[in-house]
């Protein structure tokens, strides 16, 4: 049986190893008792956490936020990054006195963490997920879990082989707006779901940012089909509650990269700043200056790369038709040079339809709620207002962290996601890439040995 993954289970496991008091009879059924009586008040067993990848996401959400908000539950035992300057900055930014490493193996062997958090460049995740599990840790990885089907298979195999678990941080599932959609679908408000129209727009600020960074190369990010759309495909898999079966896609690079009239290596060295709409001074953002600019000497990485560089090989315009095992079909698109950021989605069912949209960058919209419209085929329409969440990603980031690190946070909306969920969201994007290359429909079952189900199995990670 696989080792379970929640904080209380980690504590249970580490306390057993330390030879603490025997489990009370109520343990396993009453977690309040388990926490209050099993752990002696003078010895708080904390989750031992190591972090690889101390960039923006690692130092911030999975570094400083954890240190500030969950230090009763966990303590950092090691930080690792290949850039030693960024690593040193992250250590003080997070506010931990734990050891730092540029050698991952050394960190794992010396610190023996219960949990490894993976926040490196996407194409490297699998190395740390697999080796982390082999060296005895459970793993929490940032999305996308990985970037090609061979790496997906290797992670699934490593999970089986080691008995450890890999949880994927799908924060998008936790936004209250998307959670409400899940509830309406589950309640059968539109009858049987038959199709979904899902269109995502990245604007000329956030969207352009993918083309400035390492994300601009497929070998690093798997392209936006994987790096970005893994979020969207995971939402679809969760809402539709079925596994994807086939993908047919098209895409091209129409706007960024080779399409620009002029270019440079990066904004700071560019002779075209006065007539480029994308000129951006990275040094004005203190966090980015501290993380990247001040540490370029160690790896040469420029955070303000030119969006028109000719080495950009990811698509900036994408569309796909996805068919699910339960018969639902999806029309999906992603545009990365839109005047506004957000999405529009519609769920069509046998008894009605749900329309929902978000305009994240619409400054003229002062409303403190997002709306969903629920239509009945032969009845009234309801407008449902969802108050904005306060933390990052529509309020999802904090809810996700609470569920992972606080005791007794249930999962009624089935939001926790494991390696199988991580795999299937990546595989839709990987299939889309292949579909464009091969000009053919790609069957998901041909990519790995995952047994596809008409009703998606719930990966309860608690
Ligand atoms: N869930 C979300 O909403 C969300 C948001 C942002 C980023 N992310 C994910 O977080 C991850 C990190 O993104 P980021 O924006 O922090 O990128 P980043 O470039 O700021 O940080 C990546 C860090 O990993 C380090 N690194 C890369 N390869 C390494 C290796 N082989 N060994 C050791 N260190 C290595 C880099 O030096 C850098 O410090 C990505 O996978 C990204 O998809 C998720």
């Amino acid at each position: 049986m696989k080792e379970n993954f929640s904080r209380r289970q980690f504590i249970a496991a580490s306390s057993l190893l330390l030879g603490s008091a025997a489990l009370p009879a109520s343990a396993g059924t009453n977690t309040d008792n388990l926490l209050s009586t099993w752990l002696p008040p003078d010895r708080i067993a904390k989750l031992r956490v190591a972090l690889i990848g101390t960039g923006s996401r690692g130092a911030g959400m999975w570094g400083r936020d954890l240190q500030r908000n969950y230090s009763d539950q966990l303590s950092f035992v090691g930080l690792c990054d290949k850039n030693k300057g960024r690593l040193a900055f992250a250590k003080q930014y997070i506010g931990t006195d734990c050891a730092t490493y540029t050698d991952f193996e050394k960190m794992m062997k010396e610190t023996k963490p219960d949990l490894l958090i993976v926040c490196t460049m996407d194409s490297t995740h699998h190395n740390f997920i697999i080796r982390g599990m082999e060296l005895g840790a459970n793993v929490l990885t940032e999305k996308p879990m990985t970037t090609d089907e061979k790496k997906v298979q290797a992670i699934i195999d490593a999970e089986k082989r080691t008995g450890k678990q890999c949880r994927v941080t799908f924060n998008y599932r936790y936004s209250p707006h998307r959670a409400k959609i899940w509830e309406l679908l589950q309640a059968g408000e539109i009858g049987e779901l038959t199709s979904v129209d899902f269109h995502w727009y990245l604007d000329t600020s956030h969207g352009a940012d993918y083309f400035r960074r390492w994300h601009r190369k497929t070998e690093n990010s798997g392209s936006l089909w994987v790096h970005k759309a893994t979020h969207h495909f995971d939402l679809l898999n969760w809402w539709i509650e079925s596994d994807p079966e086939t993908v047919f896609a098209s895409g091209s690079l129409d706007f960024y990269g080779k399409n620009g009239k002029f270019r440079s290596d990066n904004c700071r060295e560019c002779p075209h700043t006065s007539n480029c709409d994308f000129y951006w001074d990275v040094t004005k953002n203190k966090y980015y200056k501290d993380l990247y600019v001040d540490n370029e000497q160690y790896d040469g990485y420029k955070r303000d790369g030119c969006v028109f560089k000719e080495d950009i090989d990811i698509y900036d315009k994408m569309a796909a038709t996805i068919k699910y095992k339960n018969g639902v079909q999806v029309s999906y698109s992603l545009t990365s040079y839109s005047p506004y950021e957000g999405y529009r989605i519609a769920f069509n069912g046998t008894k009605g339809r749900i329309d929902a949209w978000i305009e994240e960058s619409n400054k003229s919209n002062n409303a403190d709620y997002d709306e969903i419209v629920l239509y009945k085929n032969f009845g009234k329409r309801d407008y449902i207002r969802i108050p904005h969440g306060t933390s990052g990603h529509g309020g999802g980031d904090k809810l996700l962290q609470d569920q992972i690190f606080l005791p007794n946070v249930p999962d009624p909306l089935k939001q926790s996601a494991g390696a199988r969920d991580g795999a299937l969201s990546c595989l839709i994007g990987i299939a889309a890439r292949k579909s464009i290359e091969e000009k053919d429909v790609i069957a998901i079952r041909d990519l790995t040995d995952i047994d596809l189900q008409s009703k998606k199995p719930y990966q309860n990670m608690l």
Side-chain angles (χ1 to χ4, degrees):
M1 214 172 96
K2 278 189 179 157
E3 188 178 324
N4 214 333
F5 192 73
S6 70
R7 178 200 158 249
R8 64 174 179 269
Q9 297 291 332
F10 277 129
I11 289 173
S14 46
S15 299
L16 273 177
L17 285 175
L18 292 167
S20 69
L23 202 63
S26 59
T29 53
N30 185 329
T31 48
D32 276 338
N33 278 352
L34 189 143
L35 281 175
S36 57
T37 51
W38 194 21
L39 296 175
D42 59 338
R43 207 211 75 232
I44 301 169
K46 294 188 186 182
L47 197 63
R48 297 168 57 77
V49 177
L51 169 68
I52 171 104
T54 59
S56 172
R57 194 73 173 160
M61 177 169 174
W62 299 113
R64 184 146 93 160
D65 287 1
L66 295 196
Q67 178 73 17
R68 284 185 170 178
N69 301 329
Y70 306 93
S71 56
D72 286 348
Q73 279 80 30
L74 59 87
S75 55
F76 280 102
V77 294
L79 304 177
C80 180
D81 199 285
K82 64 178 185 176
N83 183 312
K84 67 178 185 184
R86 191 143 53 237
L87 181 61
F89 166 73
K91 177 175 174 169
Q92 61 90 8
Y93 183 79
I94 292 169
T96 171
D97 58 4
C98 74
T100 56
Y101 299 84
T102 50
D103 181 334
F104 175 71
E105 288 274 323
K106 192 161 183 267
M107 174 176 79
M108 292 301 293
K109 287 176 181 161
E110 284 185 7
T111 65
K112 298 185 175 47
D114 303 308
L115 176 67
L116 170 69
I117 304 181
V118 177
C119 290
T120 54
M121 188 167 77
D122 306 346
S123 59
T124 68
H125 287 179
H126 67 295
N127 292 322
F128 305 116
I129 295 171
I130 294 170
R131 195 64 189 133
M133 292 195 287
E134 286 173 353
L135 291 171
N138 287 293
V139 176
L140 184 67
T141 184
E142 259 302 350
K143 50 53 58 176
M145 188 173 83
T146 189
T147 50
D148 73 36
E149 68 275 26
K150 289 197 179 72
K151 295 172 182 175
V152 169
Q153 186 68 57
I155 292 169
I156 300 284
D157 292 345
E159 222 191 17
K160 284 188 196 136
R161 188 172 70 245
T162 60
K164 295 293 171 188
Q165 284 194 321
C166 172
R167 180 170 179 158
V168 185
T169 60
F170 282 128
N171 47 344
Y172 277 34
R173 289 190 188 189
Y174 291 77
S175 103
H177 186 246
R178 297 176 195 131
K180 185 68 190 175
I181 292 173
W182 188 89
E183 288 178 322
L184 293 170
L185 292 169
Q186 289 285 319
E189 291 286 355
I190 59 166
E192 202 178 316
L193 179 65
T194 56
S195 68
V196 184
D197 314 321
F198 192 10
H199 305 290
W200 198 285
Y201 310 102
L202 297 169
D203 66 13
T204 46
S205 168
H206 183 219
D209 211 29
Y210 293 104
F211 296 81
R212 297 183 196 283
R213 298 178 282 164
W214 50 260
H215 312 60
R216 70 178 181 273
K217 301 203 78 172
T218 303
E219 66 184 22
N220 297 335
S221 63
S223 80
L224 293 179
W225 273 123
V226 174
H227 175 81
K228 188 68 194 171
T230 186
H231 274 308
H232 313 152
F233 298 146
D234 177 67
L235 285 174
L236 286 167
N237 296 349
W238 174 59
W239 280 321
I240 296 169
E241 215 176 21
S242 181
D243 288 338
E245 193 168 37
T246 59
V247 179
F248 183 67
S250 57
S252 55
L253 178 64
D254 288 355
F255 186 81
Y256 299 108
K258 60 180 173 13
N259 300 290
K261 291 193 181 62
F262 46 74
R263 59 190 47 79
S264 179
D265 179 63
N266 66 310
C267 283
R268 275 165 296 155
E269 291 156 22
C270 182
H272 308 287
T273 55
S274 56
N275 51 353
C276 181
D277 291 332
F278 292 94
Y279 170 63
W280 175 63
D281 185 353
V282 61
T283 63
K284 293 215 164 106
N285 181 319
K286 180 162 167 27
Y287 185 48
Y288 288 172
K289 182 170 179 304
D290 291 342
L291 272 175
Y292 307 108
V293 178
D294 292 350
N295 299 304
E296 284 171 0
Q297 56 192 300
Y298 301 109
D299 59 7
Y301 176 59
K302 305 264 175 70
R303 174 66 179 76
D304 60 342
C306 177
V307 300
F308 298 126
K309 270 173 93 159
E310 283 183 326
D311 68 351
I312 291 172
D313 68 358
I314 60 173
Y315 305 108
D316 57 17
K317 172 184 92 175
M318 288 144 272
T321 299
I322 308 158
K323 276 176 66 182
Y324 279 78
K325 288 283 282 183
N326 67 356
V328 170
Q329 64 185 43
V330 174
S331 303
Y332 169 83
S333 75
L334 174 59
T335 306
S336 59
Y337 41 88
S338 166
Y340 66 85
E341 176 107 357
Y343 58 91
R344 286 167 194 276
I345 191 160
F347 298 84
N348 303 296
T350 50
K351 293 186 179 160
R353 170 179 164 105
I354 294 169
D355 272 346
W357 62 94
I358 297 274
E359 268 189 47
E360 286 174 10
S361 55
N362 184 353
K363 305 277 185 283
S364 63
N365 177 6
N366 294 321
D368 57 359
Y369 58 82
D370 295 311
E371 225 162 23
I372 297 171
V373 189
L374 172 62
Y375 302 84
K376 300 289 182 181
N377 276 353
F378 302 100
K380 61 184 176 71
R381 67 176 69 172
D382 283 323
Y383 291 84
I384 301 163
R385 289 182 172 176
I386 316 293
H388 285 156
T390 48
S391 74
H393 295 98
D397 286 357
K398 181 75 170 61
L399 294 172
L400 167 70
Q401 290 172 323
D402 281 352
Q403 194 183 62
I404 295 172
F405 294 109
L406 295 182
N408 304 322
V409 179
D411 192 23
L413 276 53
K414 301 185 182 174
Q415 285 156 306
S416 68
R420 188 182 191 280
D421 288 341
L424 284 165
S425 76
C426 293
L427 286 171
I428 299 177
I430 292 164
R433 259 182 5 223
K434 278 185 185 298
S435 175
I436 296 172
E437 285 157 20
E438 296 173 18
K439 297 186 174 50
D440 208 349
V441 178
I442 303 297
I444 299 284
R445 68 164 181 270
D446 292 343
L447 302 179
T448 66
D449 70 6
I450 295 173
D451 186 18
L452 301 179
Q453 307 287 324
S454 195
K455 182 161 167 87
K456 177 177 106 59
Y458 166 44
Q459 290 214 274
N460 186 351
M461 308 299 288
L462 303 178

